[in-house]
Amino acid sequence: MSQSDAQQLVSTQWLEDHLSAPDVKVFDASWHMPDTGRDAKAEYAAAHVPGAVFFDIDEIADTRSALPHMAPPVEKFVSRMRRLGVGDGHRVVVYDQAGLFSAARAWWMLRLFGHRDVAVLDGGLPKWIAEGRPTEDLPPMPRERHFTARRNASLVRDVTQVAMAAKLGDEQIVDARGPARFRGEAPEPRPGLRSGHIPGSKNVHYATLIGEDGALKDEAGLRAAFEEAGVDLGKPVISSCGSGVTACILDLALERLGHRQHSVYDGSWAEWGMYPDLKVEVG
């Protein structure tokens, strides 16, 4: 697979063939739910794709916000990209340690700040390792580059915009959380949050978009997952989840399907579930 064939994804073979290309930069954007007991930074230090730098979703964020890993101010994002050695003209490939979980968040953030030449490694690190491809434990020494950011506000929604969309029905709200959490039958992993979902929203669990090999399903499989949930792929979509990470998998899948009117509710349920004056549906 060449990147021109699928702009959102690159294969493990493509990446190995292009690892030494001067215009290719690789991010390990691994992040794990707190209850997994996994340490993404420690795992990165132990083994990563050669030359990959660590994209810290919790630090490359608006740390002034009480909400988890919200998109940072543009100045901070520019500073971090330069420090990681990514500049204008670089082709960025993002992966994670789960296969496809948090890599889509970094993919979305780069696009949010105007860097469109970014793709997700299909199957992530598990597929890379399973195929016997090389890893290293050496910390890379990136050279600082010039990175220009142009924030694309159409790719993100705040709570006011989502509340208006829920009221008017002009944009579909699609929730990537598991069905039990969506229906309010399972407690939220973050304390203090109500259970349930945004009124009128639809549920496409992110796991239904991923195959057994940890790679994104083909277009037929993706389309089926959205349509079975009642999502009209001809209308705009706002993606939501627990804290804005797996919502980005929905956007990656939509982009793969040629759907261009999609955005991420950055605060997601961590925000909506916190405010008692916002309506919640269960069941």
Side-chain angles (χ1 to χ4, degrees):
M1 185 197 311
S2 71
Q3 195 168 34
S4 60
D5 293 330
Q7 294 181 348
Q8 303 83 24
L9 302 170
V10 295
S11 68
T12 48
Q13 186 62 57
W14 185 94
L15 182 57
E16 187 169 13
D17 291 345
H18 293 82
L19 266 184
S20 59
D23 64 332
V24 171
K25 298 294 178 182
V26 185
F27 282 165
D28 183 323
S30 299
W31 178 87
H32 303 295
M33 291 287 288
D35 58 0
T36 62
R38 295 180 65 178
D39 184 332
K41 281 186 184 176
E43 291 184 35
Y44 163 80
H48 52 262
V49 171
V53 293
F54 188 73
F55 184 105
D56 189 339
I57 284 171
D58 283 328
E59 199 283 324
I60 304 174
D62 184 357
T63 49
R64 302 167 304 177
S65 173
L67 297 168
H69 39 251
M70 294 286 282
V74 63
E75 299 81 8
K76 181 174 184 178
F77 192 80
V78 167
S79 167
R80 297 303 184 268
M81 291 307 99
R82 288 176 174 175
R83 189 182 300 174
L84 292 179
V86 172
D88 300 339
H90 279 145
R91 176 173 292 181
V92 182
V93 177
V94 188
Y95 73 86
D96 64 51
Q97 296 153 0
L100 179 55
F101 182 65
S102 55
R105 174 71 184 185
W107 167 87
W108 173 78
M109 286 178 66
L110 280 153
R111 296 177 76 252
L112 175 65
F113 290 105
H115 196 89
R116 297 193 62 84
D117 202 354
V118 53
V120 170
L121 178 64
D122 211 15
L125 191 63
K127 189 171 191 287
W128 180 271
I129 290 174
E131 293 169 349
R133 301 185 193 275
T135 62
E136 66 181 15
D137 58 4
L138 304 171
M141 304 290 287
R143 286 174 49 204
E144 193 163 307
R145 304 286 184 164
H146 180 74
F147 184 93
T148 306
R150 299 176 188 86
R151 193 174 187 273
N152 183 354
S154 71
L155 295 182
V156 66
R157 293 288 184 271
D158 62 23
V159 66
T160 304
Q161 293 168 314
V162 175
M164 188 62 69
K167 182 179 179 180
L168 299 178
D170 55 345
E171 293 181 280
Q172 302 167 102
I173 302 167
V174 184
D175 193 320
R177 292 176 300 158
R181 286 174 65 192
F182 178 81
R183 293 192 296 262
E185 298 166 359
E188 286 298 305
R190 291 179 177 81
L193 297 182
R194 297 172 296 165
S195 295
H197 57 265
I198 298 169
S201 59
K202 302 178 187 303
N203 187 207
V204 178
H205 186 203
Y206 75 88
T208 64
L209 305 173
I210 300 170
E212 292 181 4
D213 59 353
L216 200 66
K217 287 182 177 178
D218 62 17
E219 291 188 24
L222 298 178
R223 191 175 300 279
F226 283 106
E227 290 178 348
E228 284 169 16
V231 178
D232 183 343
L233 292 171
K235 294 182 178 179
V237 170
I238 299 173
S239 300
S240 182
C241 61
S243 66
V245 174
T246 58
C248 299
I249 299 175
L250 301 189
D251 276 45
L252 178 67
L254 289 166
E255 191 73 17
R256 187 87 176 92
L257 288 170
H259 188 294
R260 299 293 181 255
Q261 290 182 291
H262 54 79
S263 55
V264 168
Y265 172 24
D266 202 13
S268 282
W269 198 253
E271 182 175 41
W272 192 280
M274 183 173 60
Y275 291 114
D277 55 332
L278 292 173
K279 292 181 180 178
V280 165
E281 278 184 354
V282 294

